[in-house]
Amino acid sequence: MSQSLTHPLAHAPVLLAAGIDGTPLDGAGPQLVLPQDRCGARHISGINAIRVDGRYPSWPVAG
């Protein structure tokens, strides 16, 4: 199996961040981020569209 699929973050929830502490992000725009990533290095900037197709199972809500 591919290392990327066996990585501990491979099935982690992803958040769409539009700001930090109420302040909009820089000119790169919204980012997809992994809140579980302790070093903060894994993100994708400049998100301009998201398609939700419902083919994936929903994740249980932690609480």
Side-chain angles (χ1 to χ4, degrees), residues 16-41:
L16 176 65
I20 298 173
D21 296 330
T23 303
L25 294 175
D26 61 14
Q31 298 179 353
L32 290 177
V33 297
L34 292 165
Q36 301 83 351
D37 183 15
R38 291 185 216 160
C39 67

